[in-house]
Coordinates of all heavy atoms in Angstrom, one line a residue:
Chain A
K42 N -29.6 134.0 -30.4 CA -30.2 133.4 -31.6 C -31.7 133.3 -31.4 O -32.3 133.5 -30.3 CB -29.7 131.9 -31.7 CG -28.2 131.8 -31.9 CD -27.8 132.3 -33.2 CE -26.3 132.2 -33.4 NZ -25.8 132.7 -34.7
G43 N -32.5 133.0 -32.4 CA -33.9 132.8 -32.3 C -34.2 131.5 -31.7 O -33.4 130.5 -31.8
P44 N -35.4 131.3 -31.1 CA -35.8 130.1 -30.5 C -36.0 129.0 -31.6 O -36.4 129.3 -32.7 CB -37.2 130.4 -29.9 CG -37.2 131.9 -29.7 CD -36.4 132.4 -30.9
E45 N -35.7 127.8 -31.2 CA -35.8 126.6 -32.1 C -36.8 125.7 -31.5 O -36.8 125.3 -30.4 CB -34.4 125.9 -32.2 CG -34.5 124.6 -33.0 CD -33.2 123.8 -32.7 OE1 -32.3 124.2 -32.0 OE2 -33.1 122.7 -33.3
L46 N -37.8 125.3 -32.4 CA -38.9 124.5 -31.9 C -38.4 123.1 -31.7 O -37.8 122.4 -32.6 CB -40.0 124.4 -32.9 CG -41.2 123.5 -32.6 CD1 -41.9 124.0 -31.3 CD2 -42.2 123.5 -33.7
L47 N -38.6 122.5 -30.5 CA -38.2 121.2 -30.1 C -39.3 120.2 -30.3 O -39.2 119.2 -30.9 CB -37.6 121.1 -28.7 CG -36.3 121.9 -28.4 CD1 -36.0 121.8 -27.0 CD2 -35.2 121.3 -29.3
M48 N -40.5 120.5 -29.6 CA -41.6 119.6 -29.7 C -42.9 120.4 -29.4 O -42.8 121.5 -28.8 CB -41.5 118.6 -28.6 CG -40.3 117.7 -28.7 SD -40.3 116.4 -27.4 CE -41.6 115.4 -27.9
Y49 N -44.0 119.9 -29.9 CA -45.3 120.5 -29.5 C -46.3 119.4 -29.3 O -46.2 118.3 -30.0 CB -45.8 121.5 -30.5 CG -46.3 121.0 -31.8 CD1 -47.7 120.8 -31.9 CD2 -45.5 120.8 -32.9 CE1 -48.2 120.3 -33.1 CE2 -46.0 120.3 -34.1 CZ -47.3 120.1 -34.2 OH -47.8 119.6 -35.4
T50 N -47.2 119.6 -28.4 CA -48.2 118.6 -28.0 C -49.5 119.2 -27.9 O -49.6 120.4 -27.7 CB -47.8 117.8 -26.7 OG1 -47.7 118.8 -25.7 CG2 -46.6 117.0 -26.9
Y51 N -50.6 118.4 -28.1 CA -51.9 118.9 -28.0 C -52.6 118.3 -26.7 O -53.2 119.1 -26.0 CB -52.7 118.6 -29.2 CG -54.2 118.9 -29.2 CD1 -54.6 120.2 -29.2 CD2 -55.1 117.9 -29.1 CE1 -55.9 120.6 -29.1 CE2 -56.5 118.2 -29.1 CZ -56.9 119.6 -29.1 OH -58.2 119.9 -29.0
S52 N -52.6 117.1 -26.6 CA -53.4 116.5 -25.5 C -52.5 116.1 -24.3 O -51.3 116.1 -24.4 CB -54.1 115.2 -26.0 OG -53.1 114.3 -26.5
S53 N -53.1 115.7 -23.2 CA -52.4 115.3 -22.1 C -51.7 113.9 -22.4 O -52.2 113.2 -23.2 CB -53.4 115.0 -20.9 OG -53.7 116.3 -20.3
G54 N -50.6 113.7 -21.8 CA -49.9 112.5 -22.1 C -48.4 112.8 -22.4 O -47.9 113.9 -22.2
N55 N -47.8 111.7 -22.9 CA -46.4 111.9 -23.3 C -46.1 111.9 -24.8 O -46.9 111.2 -25.5 CB -45.6 110.6 -22.7 CG -45.5 110.7 -21.2 OD1 -46.1 111.6 -20.5 ND2 -44.9 109.7 -20.6
K56 N -45.1 112.5 -25.2 CA -44.7 112.5 -26.6 C -43.1 112.4 -26.6 O -42.5 113.2 -25.9 CB -45.1 113.7 -27.3 CG -44.8 113.7 -28.8 CD -45.4 115.0 -29.5 CE -45.1 115.0 -31.0 NZ -45.7 116.1 -31.7
E57 N -42.6 111.5 -27.4 CA -41.2 111.3 -27.4 C -40.6 111.6 -28.7 O -41.2 111.2 -29.8 CB -40.9 109.9 -27.0 CG -39.4 109.6 -26.7 CD -39.2 108.2 -26.1 OE1 -40.0 107.8 -25.2 OE2 -38.3 107.5 -26.6
D58 N -39.4 112.2 -28.8 CA -38.7 112.5 -30.0 C -37.2 112.4 -29.7 O -36.7 113.4 -29.2 CB -39.1 113.8 -30.6 CG -38.5 114.1 -32.0 OD1 -37.8 113.2 -32.5 OD2 -38.8 115.1 -32.5
G59 N -36.6 111.3 -30.1 CA -35.2 111.1 -29.8 C -34.9 111.2 -28.3 O -35.5 110.5 -27.5
R60 N -34.0 112.1 -27.9 CA -33.7 112.2 -26.5 C -34.7 113.1 -25.7 O -34.5 113.3 -24.5 CB -32.3 112.9 -26.4 CG -31.2 112.0 -27.0 CD -29.8 112.7 -26.7 NE -29.6 114.0 -27.3 CZ -29.4 115.1 -26.7 NH1 -29.4 115.1 -25.3 NH2 -29.3 116.2 -27.3
F61 N -35.7 113.6 -26.4 CA -36.6 114.5 -25.7 C -38.0 113.8 -25.5 O -38.5 113.1 -26.3 CB -36.8 115.8 -26.6 CG -35.6 116.6 -26.9 CD1 -34.9 116.4 -28.0 CD2 -35.2 117.5 -26.0 CE1 -33.7 117.1 -28.3 CE2 -34.0 118.3 -26.2 CZ -33.3 118.1 -27.4
T62 N -38.5 114.1 -24.3 CA -39.8 113.6 -24.0 C -40.6 114.8 -23.4 O -40.1 115.4 -22.4 CB -39.8 112.5 -22.9 OG1 -39.1 111.4 -23.5 CG2 -41.2 112.0 -22.6
A63 N -41.8 115.0 -23.9 CA -42.6 116.1 -23.4 C -43.8 115.5 -22.7 O -44.4 114.5 -23.2 CB -43.1 117.0 -24.6
Q64 N -44.2 116.0 -21.6 CA -45.4 115.5 -20.9 C -46.3 116.7 -20.7 O -45.9 117.8 -20.4 CB -45.0 115.0 -19.5 CG -44.3 113.6 -19.6 CD -44.0 113.1 -18.2 OE1 -44.2 113.8 -17.2 NE2 -43.6 111.8 -18.1
V65 N -47.6 116.4 -20.8 CA -48.6 117.4 -20.5 C -49.7 116.8 -19.6 O -50.2 115.7 -19.8 CB -49.4 117.9 -21.8 CG1 -50.5 118.8 -21.5 CG2 -48.4 118.5 -22.7
D66 N -49.9 117.5 -18.5 CA -51.0 117.1 -17.5 C -52.0 118.3 -17.4 O -51.7 119.2 -16.6 CB -50.4 116.8 -16.2 CG -51.4 116.3 -15.2 OD1 -52.6 116.4 -15.4 OD2 -51.0 115.8 -14.1
K67 N -53.0 118.2 -18.2 CA -53.9 119.4 -18.2 C -54.7 119.5 -16.9 O -55.1 120.6 -16.6 CB -54.9 119.2 -19.4 CG -54.3 119.5 -20.8 CD -55.3 119.5 -21.9 CE -54.7 119.9 -23.2 NZ -55.8 119.9 -24.3
S68 N -54.9 118.4 -16.3 CA -55.7 118.5 -15.0 C -54.9 119.2 -14.0 O -55.5 119.9 -13.1 CB -56.1 117.1 -14.5 OG -54.9 116.3 -14.2
S69 N -53.6 119.1 -14.0 CA -52.8 119.9 -13.0 C -52.2 121.2 -13.6 O -51.5 121.9 -12.9 CB -51.6 119.0 -12.6 OG -52.1 117.8 -12.0
K70 N -52.5 121.4 -14.9 CA -51.9 122.6 -15.6 C -50.4 122.6 -15.4 O -49.8 123.6 -15.0 CB -52.6 123.9 -15.0 CG -54.1 124.0 -15.2 CD -54.5 125.4 -14.9 CE -56.0 125.5 -14.9 NZ -56.7 124.8 -13.8
Y71 N -49.8 121.5 -15.9 CA -48.4 121.3 -15.7 C -47.8 120.6 -16.9 O -48.4 119.6 -17.3 CB -48.2 120.4 -14.4 CG -46.8 120.2 -13.9 CD1 -46.3 121.1 -13.0 CD2 -46.1 119.1 -14.3 CE1 -45.0 120.8 -12.4 CE2 -44.8 118.9 -13.8 CZ -44.3 119.8 -12.9 OH -43.0 119.6 -12.4
I72 N -46.7 121.1 -17.4 CA -46.0 120.5 -18.5 C -44.6 120.3 -18.2 O -44.0 121.1 -17.4 CB -46.2 121.2 -19.9 CG1 -45.5 122.6 -19.9 CG2 -47.7 121.4 -20.2 CD1 -45.4 123.2 -21.3
S73 N -44.0 119.3 -18.8 CA -42.6 119.0 -18.6 C -41.9 118.6 -19.8 O -42.5 118.2 -20.8 CB -42.5 117.8 -17.6 OG -43.1 118.0 -16.4
L74 N -40.6 118.8 -19.8 CA -39.7 118.4 -20.9 C -38.5 117.7 -20.2 O -37.9 118.2 -19.3 CB -39.2 119.6 -21.7 CG -38.2 119.2 -22.8 CD1 -38.9 118.4 -24.0 CD2 -37.5 120.4 -23.4
F75 N -38.2 116.5 -20.7 CA -37.1 115.7 -20.2 C -36.1 115.5 -21.4 O -36.5 115.2 -22.5 CB -37.5 114.3 -19.7 CG -38.5 114.4 -18.6 CD1 -39.8 114.3 -18.8 CD2 -38.1 114.6 -17.3 CE1 -40.8 114.4 -17.8 CE2 -39.0 114.7 -16.2 CZ -40.3 114.6 -16.5
I76 N -34.8 115.8 -21.0 CA -33.7 115.6 -22.0 C -32.8 114.5 -21.5 O -32.2 114.6 -20.4 CB -32.9 116.8 -22.2 CG1 -33.8 118.0 -22.6 CG2 -31.9 116.6 -23.3 CD1 -33.1 119.3 -22.6
R77 N -32.8 113.3 -22.2 CA -31.9 112.2 -21.7 C -30.5 112.4 -22.3 O -30.3 113.0 -23.3 CB -32.5 110.9 -22.2 CG -33.8 110.5 -21.6 CD -34.3 109.1 -22.1 NE -34.6 109.2 -23.5 CZ -35.7 109.7 -24.0 NH1 -36.6 110.2 -23.2 NH2 -35.9 109.6 -25.3
D78 N -29.6 111.7 -21.6 CA -28.2 111.7 -22.1 C -27.8 113.1 -22.5 O -27.4 113.4 -23.7 CB -28.1 110.7 -23.3 CG -26.6 110.5 -23.7 OD1 -25.7 110.7 -22.8 OD2 -26.4 110.2 -24.9
S79 N -27.9 114.0 -21.6 CA -27.6 115.5 -21.9 C -26.2 115.7 -22.4 O -25.2 115.0 -21.9 CB -27.9 116.3 -20.7 OG -27.1 115.9 -19.6
Q80 N -26.0 116.6 -23.3 CA -24.7 116.9 -23.9 C -24.4 118.4 -23.6 O -25.3 119.2 -23.4 CB -24.7 116.7 -25.4 CG -25.1 115.3 -25.8 CD -24.1 114.2 -25.3 OE1 -22.9 114.4 -25.5 NE2 -24.6 113.2 -24.7
P81 N -23.1 118.8 -23.6 CA -22.8 120.2 -23.4 C -23.5 121.1 -24.5 O -23.8 122.2 -24.2 CB -21.3 120.2 -23.6 CG -20.8 118.9 -23.1 CD -21.9 117.9 -23.6
S82 N -23.7 120.5 -25.6 CA -24.4 121.3 -26.7 C -25.9 121.6 -26.3 O -26.5 122.4 -27.0 CB -24.3 120.6 -28.0 OG -24.9 119.3 -27.9

Side-chain angles (χ1 to χ4, degrees):
Chain A
K42 300 291 184 184
E45 172 193 2
L46 179 64
L47 295 174
M48 298 182 71
Y49 76 94
T50 54
Y51 174 69
S52 58
S53 285
N55 292 2
K56 183 177 181 179
E57 191 173 314
D58 184 0
R60 295 186 297 117
F61 299 96
T62 299
Q64 286 185 351
V65 174
D66 183 347
K67 286 188 175 180
S68 62
S69 300
K70 299 191 186 69
Y71 187 90
I72 69 170
S73 301
L74 178 72
F75 300 97
I76 307 173
R77 291 183 299 280
D78 188 27
S79 59
Q80 305 295 312
S82 57

